[in-house]
Structures are given as structure tokens and as C-alpha cells.
Amino acid sequence: MSNSFISADNTWVLWAFLTGWAALSIYLEQKYDWAAKISGAIIALIGAMALSNLKVIPVDSPVYDTVWGYVVPLAIPMLLLQCNIKKIWKESGRMLLIFLIGSVGTVAGAILGFLLLGKHIPHLAEIAGMMTGSYIGGGVNFVAVSSAFSVPGELVSATVVADNLLMALYFLALITIPTVNFFRKHFKHPYVDKVESLGKTEDGTSAAAYWKGKEISLKDIAFAVATGFIVVAVSKAIAGFLGSVIPTGNFAMSMLNILLSNQYLIITTITMLLATFFPDFFGNIRGAQEIGTFLIYLFFVVIGVPASIPLIIQNSPLLLLFCGIVVIVNMAVIFGFGKLLNYSVEEIIIASNANIGGPTTATAMAISKGWTDLVAPAMLVGVFGYGVGTYLGIIVGNLLL
């Protein structure tokens, strides 16, 4: 935005802020107990949200687009180089069930929100369809459903603003849940226990123990970074080619087109195939997890930036309420059934995040918390949501029209 202290085109200063704030967030998490309880990811997010609302940094900038378009895809292969398909198949199947339960919660929340607010928000049936698609899949589904219903542009923009603020609050809630006594008492939490069992370093927290220094060579850094770039480049080429040749004349082929033209699905698939069939090479590249995690922290900073509180107050308080209803019902359903089916609180959190936030945020959260066994399942079920989100969104929208 042109009225911020740092202008949107001040590229070097914005990159300095993104990397500096991400680094400070990591330092605080590893140094202080209070920061470890909040998590570095939330510190990164809240700091960016505060500075954007204080007009220190712009709400929109090509720098942020670069993080979404280049940094996040590059981070994913680095973080999945140890994800052997043979080892995670069982966990992914388990995660898919709770993800589907959460999807039912999203549909129920959209319908409930429409029944409560349908008379007060214009085009709410279409918006309900858009948010169903988004809160089962992600942004690609939001755009697809809004286009399918030809929703007015100003209404789409207002919904995006409401969604941005809600997402920041939602991620804050999800990352805080594992530290709340109620959830620790009533849900099993093996992944949290595993991280905490590492103990603390002499001058740091359990996060510092988890990310303790290790031997790493120039060759490791070279292979990690090069692998990331090569996998993303090949994946984008394959996704673009498949998207152009797979017809969309019927439901089944359209769904196949959406799935196979999604770069994140191809990136995940190629990386996991490399990790599965060449584990001795790719599984032993040191530093890939650390580099990928730092890149994901840049993503957490960027997530907080668009959450403009003044714009919400001015344009879309009822839309914020509607989105909140959808998210609350999703969480109620997924935590309720998760408890009945004996899921851990970490599995429930990541599945809900894959619903509401999508595969990138779910993967980022698993990484930031040190739940490494949930990273690949989070990506897989989140990408599956991309495949079904548009269809469920269109079904809900048409049902409510």
C-alpha cells in the first residue's frame, strides 16, 4: 500500500524485514520458554499483522507474491526429502479419514452460517459455496467457485479481507491449543511429548534442542538447494503440460485435471518418489530440513500481513462472522469425532489446518512444531482437498441458492 512507512516497491527493505523478523522469531522460540509456548510461527505471524495494521509495512507487495510463488514451492521438496512413502502410507490413510470428517464440518458450518445470516448478507449462498471450497481445499478452489457463480468483484474482495483476518486468528488458536491444559488432559499428544522429551539445552528451550547444530558441508547445502530448484522446475513443467492436455468435459476428467495440474501435488509426488527409491542419497542430505524450515517461516510472516483490521471494520464484519461460524463448526466436528476415534490432538490440528488453510499452511505448522511425521500426510490430504473442494463448494452453493 502506498500509505505505509515502507513502500510496496521497496524490495530490499521488505526482504530485510521478512528474513530479519523470521530469524528473530526463531531465536526467541529457541531462547525463551514463553516464546517456545507461543511458537516462533505465531510470533512471526503476529508481528507482521501488527506492523501492517500500524502501516509500517504494506499490506500488498510483489515481495509477498514472491514468497507465495517461489519460496513456498522451493521449501516443500527440501522438507520432504526424508519422507519415504513406504513409511508414511499408514499415517496418511489415517489422516485422510479425519480430514474428511473435518470437510463434513465445513459443509455443516457453511449451511448453518447461511441459515443464520442469509437475510443480512447479499449473495451469501454463493459466498457459502466459495468458503466451502476454500475451507476444504484452498485459494484455488475459492477462485474457481467464485468464477463459477460469477460473484461480484467487490464482494469477492470483501470476503478475502475477512478470510485473511480470520486465518490469522485461526492459526493463532491452532498453534496455541497443544499448550492448553484442557486439550492436554482430554486428548493424547504423542508428537508434543516427543519434542518435549528432547529437553532443553543449557541456554535454550526444547525447540533449541530439536534444532540443535549438526555437521553440514558445502556439498549438503548445494545438493539441498539444487534439488529444491530442480524438483520445482520439473514439477511446474509437468503440471502445466498435464493441465493443458487433460480434457475437462465431464466431472471425472475435470477432477483429474485439477489434481494433476496442481504443482504442489506434483512437487510432493516427485520428492517422495526420490526419497522412497533413493533414500541413501536424498535422505542423507544434511541441512535440507533447516533451510526449508527457515523458508517456511518467511511464509508465516507473509500470512500475517494482509489481516487488515480497519478494512474488516469498514467493509465486512458480517462476512468475518460468517467465516468464523464455518471455522468454529469445522473445529467442533473434527475435535469431537477426533476424540471419539482416538486421534491425537496433533493429528486433529493438522487435519483441520489442511481443511481451512490448505496443504501449505498445514505442512508449515507441522514443521514449525517439530511434528515431522505429520509433514507429508498434511501435504497429501491438503492436496486431496484441492481436488474435491471446488465440487463440494459448487454443490453447497447451488443447494442454498
Side-chain angles (χ1 to χ4, degrees):
M1 287 270 183
S2 59
N3 61 347
S4 60
F5 179 72
I6 301 173
S7 64
D9 59 356
N10 199 337
T11 303
W12 278 107
V13 172
L14 284 174
W15 275 115
F17 164 71
L18 291 180
T19 55
W21 187 248
L24 180 61
S25 301
I26 292 170
Y27 168 78
L28 292 173
E29 181 185 43
Q30 296 191 14
K31 182 69 175 177
Y32 300 105
D33 286 334
W34 64 266
K37 290 179 180 178
I38 298 172
S39 87
I42 281 298
I43 295 172
L45 190 153
I46 290 179
M49 182 168 64
L51 290 175
S52 68
N53 278 280
L54 291 172
K55 299 188 182 301
V56 176
I57 59 175
V59 174
D60 192 21
S61 168
V63 171
Y64 308 150
D65 297 335
T66 301
V67 172
W68 278 97
Y70 294 89
V71 173
V72 173
L74 186 61
I76 292 170
M78 295 187 193
L79 293 163
L80 294 179
L81 286 178
Q82 296 182 358
C83 290
N84 190 314
I85 295 174
K86 298 173 184 176
K87 295 180 179 178
I88 68 167
W89 174 254
K90 185 176 181 180
E91 288 85 351
S92 297
R94 178 176 170 81
M95 182 72 78
L96 180 59
L97 174 60
I98 194 67
F99 174 86
L100 292 172
I101 290 171
S103 300
V104 173
T106 295
V107 171
I111 294 172
L112 177 62
F114 175 82
L115 294 176
L116 293 175
L117 300 173
K119 295 181 180 179
H120 306 285
I121 303 175
H123 300 284
L124 189 56
E126 295 93 328
I127 293 172
M130 289 158 49
M131 298 318 299
T132 298
S134 180
Y135 288 170
I136 290 174
V140 61
N141 307 96
F142 178 93
V143 172
V145 177
S146 63
S147 299
F149 286 121
S150 300
V151 179
E154 64 274 13
L155 200 54
V156 173
S157 299
T159 306
V160 169
V161 171
D163 178 54
N164 283 334
L165 177 57
L166 184 66
M167 284 300 94
L169 300 175
Y170 169 73
F171 295 140
L172 173 61
L174 279 191
I175 291 183
T176 304
I177 281 174
T179 68
V180 177
N181 287 334
F182 173 84
F183 291 98
R184 282 179 168 264
K185 180 179 179 180
H186 293 93
F187 293 83
K188 61 181 183 178
H189 38 81
Y191 299 94
V192 171
D193 291 342
K194 181 179 179 181
V195 173
E196 292 179 348
S197 70
L198 297 172
K200 302 180 181 179
T201 60
E202 291 183 2
D203 60 346
T205 64
S206 58
Y210 181 84
W211 293 108
K212 63 184 178 182
K214 63 179 68 171
E215 183 180 339
I216 181 173
S217 69
L218 175 61
K219 183 179 70 174
D220 287 319
I221 296 174
F223 282 160
V225 175
T227 299
F229 275 101
I230 293 169
V231 168
V232 172
V234 172
S235 298
K236 287 183 72 68
I238 292 174
F241 172 74
L242 292 176
S244 66
V245 299
I246 298 176
T248 57
N250 57 61
F251 178 89
M253 295 306 294
S254 294
M255 186 171 183
L256 187 64
N257 183 288
I258 288 174
L259 281 172
L260 296 184
S261 64
N262 184 279
Q263 66 167 331
Y264 292 108
L265 176 64
I266 305 299
I267 289 171
T268 302
T269 302
I270 290 178
T271 308
M272 291 174 63
L273 287 173
L274 293 175
T276 300
F277 293 105
F278 305 99
D280 293 339
F281 178 77
F282 291 103
N284 290 316
I285 298 177
R286 298 188 177 188
Q289 184 112 1
E290 286 78 3
I291 297 171
T293 299
F294 178 69
L295 297 180
I296 288 296
Y297 267 77
L298 301 182
F299 172 67
F300 271 115
V301 177
V302 169
I303 284 178
V305 171
S308 174
I309 295 173
L311 279 177
I312 287 290
I313 295 172
Q314 180 181 347
N315 297 328
S316 46
L318 284 179
L319 285 173
L320 177 65
L321 177 59
F322 171 78
C323 293
I325 291 171
V326 180
V327 169
I328 289 170
V329 174
N330 169 278
M331 294 180 70
V333 169
I334 203 167
F335 274 91
F337 280 92
K339 172 64 176 176
L340 290 174
L341 297 174
N342 200 33
Y343 277 83
S344 68
V345 69
E346 300 95 337
E347 290 172 315
I348 297 169
I349 287 170
I350 295 302
S352 179
N353 195 331
N355 273 148
I356 306 299
T360 49
T361 59
T363 303
M365 185 169 289
I367 293 162
S368 71
K369 301 297 284 186
W371 305 337
T372 52
D373 291 343
L374 296 180
V375 171
M379 178 59 70
L380 291 174
V381 298
V383 171
F384 174 79
Y386 282 160
V388 299
T390 298
Y391 301 102
L392 292 174
I394 290 174
I395 288 170
V396 169
N398 280 301
L399 177 66
L400 299 177
L401 278 175

